[in-house]
């Protein structure tokens, strides 16, 4: 039986990473494994196999791995790193060739570990081949799990195909589709905020909420990922997965329990309730943009076209969408989503804009601001509740907005684990709650398709935005609505509430 406590040691496991010397593995997966080893969750009886066709000696492999982990883990403990490297093994082979799996087979059969995790960190076009080869070599057994890295295809049809292929050799209970946003501490805190606090839940509906905004802004460009990004763009790279998952967590009904299927059933209902976009109205609901030259942090940056060195690309690097969740709870409440690269700052935020009071009985001429709950997911994790308070002193009822801020990360002494740390340990423990089920992914693709099938019409409205500006998101807002503007600190009187662990 797997141990359930989040910080206790997990059962010994064998992890095979396909694409294990690629960028994602070196930047995210290995640092995550390092931190979990440091936390004492991974024992020295576990094994990590990197399956790769790059010819190199074991010494070269370990030297490169060590250098990369050191690059991504600040203040590394060399003893822990040494222990991690001891359980890492290199297996030379072409993932597409069944004959090349014999060495892996030998190695796996010589360990005593029951839990076997296959991590596909390769293009999804070869997921099917890998499963096939693992199967024909007899490497998949009851205790095997498979982790599928995004993107899971590029449209509904390709995603369904991947699903179908994977299900030929693994059961749904063995499949872990990663969306790393679900592993972020602050994203998980959304569940606690909503379902452990009656205060918010009782007003969490269209009767009290005017609109909801979800912004995931990045100031980086596409960097060295131009080839991939140009085929995907902001909608498929960010909205189809991360932003929709955030929307689900904000909009879903309380699940019956934290059981993986209970949570995923509720998210699925939200995805089913998303209003599909129609050709006639798409332009007022979706706007895209592409970054031009500009300035980030005071320095000049190139345009998207210069970054990818391809001057006829129409791929969007920004998208803003007005979505509707057509169900009893959310009827009439717009959900505004926006994401983009080369925006002025990197931050992710959910803003719940409450409706204003029905009647202003105070004589003050100053406008009364509506309450807002601002949930900053990154880079600083905090909550802010904007409310009106009386300005002290004689002279009648004068009021102003005050923001109560809960400094989430500052309230806890421990470092916040990276998303991949939690997710990897959950795979070993066999907990699927933070992973997407196949029907969820398909439902997300179905809604996304109602946008992509209207690309031509949307692209007519596409604009170039200067790097370092907020992009063209205003166009989709309903009258009287505006994006909550970015604030580094707090624009109102500051009152920080710290809770003690
Ligand atoms: C990835 C996208 O899934 O998420 C990237 O492919 C994006 O384009 C990244 O930069 C953002 O993740 P985070 O955790 O930095 O917000």
């Amino acid at each position: 039986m797997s141990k359930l406590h989040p910080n206790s040691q997990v059962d010994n496991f064998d992890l095979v990473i396909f694409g294990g010397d690629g960028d994602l593995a070196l930047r995210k997966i290995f640092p995550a494994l390092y931190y979990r080893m440091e936390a004492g969750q991974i024992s020295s009886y576990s094994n990590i196999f990197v399956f790769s066709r790059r010819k190199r000696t074991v010494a070269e492999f370990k030297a490169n791995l060590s250098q990369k982990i050191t690059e991504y883990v600040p203040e590394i403990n060399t003893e822990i790193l040494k222990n991690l490297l001891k359980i890492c093994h290199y297996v030379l082979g072409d993932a597409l060739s069944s004959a090349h799996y014999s060495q892996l087979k030998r190695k796996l059969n010589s360990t005593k570990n029951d839990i076997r995790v296959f991590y596909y960190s390769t293009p999804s076009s070869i997921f099917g081949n890998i499963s096939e080869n693992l199967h024909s070599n007899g490497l998949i057994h009851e205790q095997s799990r498979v982790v599928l890295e995004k993107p899971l295809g590029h449209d509904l049809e390709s995603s369904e195909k991947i699903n179908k292929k994977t299900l030929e050799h693994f059961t749904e209970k063995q499949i872990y589709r990663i969306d790393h946003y679900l592993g972020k501490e602050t994203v998980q805190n959304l569940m606690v905020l909503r379902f452990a606090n009656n205060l918010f839940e009782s007003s969490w509906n269209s009767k009290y909420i005017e609109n909801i905004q979800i912004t995931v802004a990045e100031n980086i460009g596409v960097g060295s990922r131009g080839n991939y990004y140009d085929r995907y763009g902001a909608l498929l790279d960010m909205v189809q997965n991360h932003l929709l998952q955030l929307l689900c967590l904000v909009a879903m009904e309380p699940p019956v329990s934290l059981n993986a299927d209970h949570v995923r059933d509720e998210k699925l209902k939200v995805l089913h309730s998303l209003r599909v976009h129609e050709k006639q109205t798409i332009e007022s609901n979706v706007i895209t943009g592409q970054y031009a030259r500009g300035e980030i942090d005071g320095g000049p940056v190139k345009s998207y076209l210069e970054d990818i060195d391809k001057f006829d690309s129409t791929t969007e690097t920004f998208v803003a969408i007005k979505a509707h969740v057509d169900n009893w709870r959310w009827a009439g409440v717009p959900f505004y989503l926006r994401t983009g690269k080369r925006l002025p700052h990197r931050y992710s935020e959910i803003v719940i804009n409450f409706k204003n009071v029905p009647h202003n009985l105070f004589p003050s001429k100053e406008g009364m601001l509506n309450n807002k709950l601002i949930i900053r997911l990154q880079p600083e994790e905090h909550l802010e509740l904007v409310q009106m308070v009386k300005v002290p002193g004689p002279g009648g009822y004068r009021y102003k907005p005050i923001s109560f801020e809960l400094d989430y990360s500052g309230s806890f002494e421990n470092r916040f684990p990276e998303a991949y740390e939690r997710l990897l340990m959950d795979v070993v423990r066999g907990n699927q709650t933070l992973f997407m089920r196949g029907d969820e992914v398909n439902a997300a693709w179905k809604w996304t398709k109602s946008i992509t099938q209207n690309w031509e019409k949307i692209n007519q409205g596409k604009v170039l935005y200067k790097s370092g500006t907020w992009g063209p998101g205003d166009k989709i807002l309903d009258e009287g609505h505006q994006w909550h503007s970015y604030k580094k600190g707090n624009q109102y009187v500051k009152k920080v509430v710290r809770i003690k662990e």
Side-chain angles (χ1 to χ4, degrees), residues 283-414:
E283 286 156 302
S284 52
N285 291 322
V286 182
I287 174 97
T288 56
Q290 190 185 74
Y291 65 80
R293 288 180 186 177
E295 276 192 10
I296 296 281
D297 293 334
V301 293
K302 290 186 193 164
S303 70
Y304 173 69
L305 298 180
E306 288 168 316
D307 274 349
I308 62 165
D309 197 21
K310 192 171 154 218
F311 292 86
D312 57 354
S313 169
T314 58
T315 299
E316 83 290 356
T317 59
F318 173 96
V319 62
I321 300 169
K322 177 164 58 187
H324 283 97
V325 178
D326 285 334
N327 64 15
W328 195 284
R329 189 191 277 259
W330 294 116
V333 179
F335 283 72
Y336 298 119
L337 314 177
R338 69 173 169 169
T339 184
K341 298 222 185 268
R342 285 286 187 232
L343 303 183
H345 301 281
R346 172 179 183 259
Y347 81 107
S348 302
E349 193 168 84
I350 298 173
V351 178
I352 314 290
N353 277 307
F354 289 91
K355 286 187 172 157
N356 219 325
V357 289
H359 168 67
N360 185 355
L361 62 92
F362 301 101
S364 171
K365 292 204 175 54
E366 289 160 44
M368 197 181 277
L369 229 73
N370 52 348
N371 294 136
K372 279 175 200 277
L373 177 65
I374 302 158
I375 306 164
R376 176 69 61 90
L377 304 173
Q378 59 185 26
E380 339 70 24
E381 300 85 358
H382 70 232
L383 294 179
E384 234 178 293
L385 182 63
V386 180
Q387 56 177 286
M388 302 304 291
V389 299
K390 179 183 178 297
V391 177
Y397 282 102
R398 282 174 299 119
Y399 47 77
K400 65 185 283 184
I402 295 277
S403 181
F404 286 92
E405 186 184 6
L406 169 64
D407 181 5
Y408 184 43
S409 53
S411 297
F412 297 94
E413 276 165 15
N414 296 342

Side-chain angles (χ1 to χ4, degrees), residues 193-195 197-212 250-254 328-331 333 335 351-356 371-373 385-386:
L193 178 81
R194 286 198 53 200
F195 303 127
N197 294 289
N198 209 11
L199 171 70
F200 297 123
E201 196 48 30
S202 47
S203 50
W204 210 261
N205 54 52
S206 62
K207 192 165 172 208
Y208 297 103
I209 291 176
E210 173 83 23
N211 67 73
I212 292 180
V250 171
M252 72 192 222
E253 295 300 317
W328 195 284
R329 189 191 277 259
W330 294 116
V333 179
F335 283 72
V351 178
I352 314 290
N353 277 307
F354 289 91
K355 286 187 172 157
N356 219 325
N371 294 136
K372 279 175 200 277
L373 177 65
L385 182 63
V386 180

Side-chain angles (χ1 to χ4, degrees), residues 124-175:
S124 58
S125 51
I126 67 164
F127 285 1
N129 306 73
I130 303 178
S131 302
E132 187 59 47
N133 290 336
L134 288 172
H135 168 75
S136 60
N137 280 279
L139 293 175
I140 303 173
H141 57 46
E142 231 176 81
Q143 283 276 48
S144 302
R145 287 126 219 220
V146 63
V147 182
L148 307 182
E149 236 334 308
K150 78 170 262 271
L152 297 175
H154 53 271
D155 56 16
L156 177 62
E157 291 70 28
S158 51
S159 158
E160 278 176 342
K161 217 159 128 192
I162 293 168
N163 232 1
K164 199 164 151 247
K165 275 267 163 217
T166 314
L167 282 165
E168 281 172 20
H169 304 297
F170 296 91
T171 64
E172 183 62 44
K173 289 263 176 262
Q174 294 176 300
I175 306 175

Side-chain angles (χ1 to χ4, degrees), residues 103 107 121 130 149 166 229 244 253 272 281 298 308 328 389 395 405 412 433 435 498:
Q103 198 195 355
K107 292 199 176 204
S121 178
I130 303 178
E149 236 334 308
T166 314
Y229 193 88
L244 281 189
E253 295 300 317
H272 282 324
T281 50
I308 62 165
W328 195 284
V389 299
E405 186 184 6
F412 297 94
T433 311
F435 297 84
R498 284 183 200 279

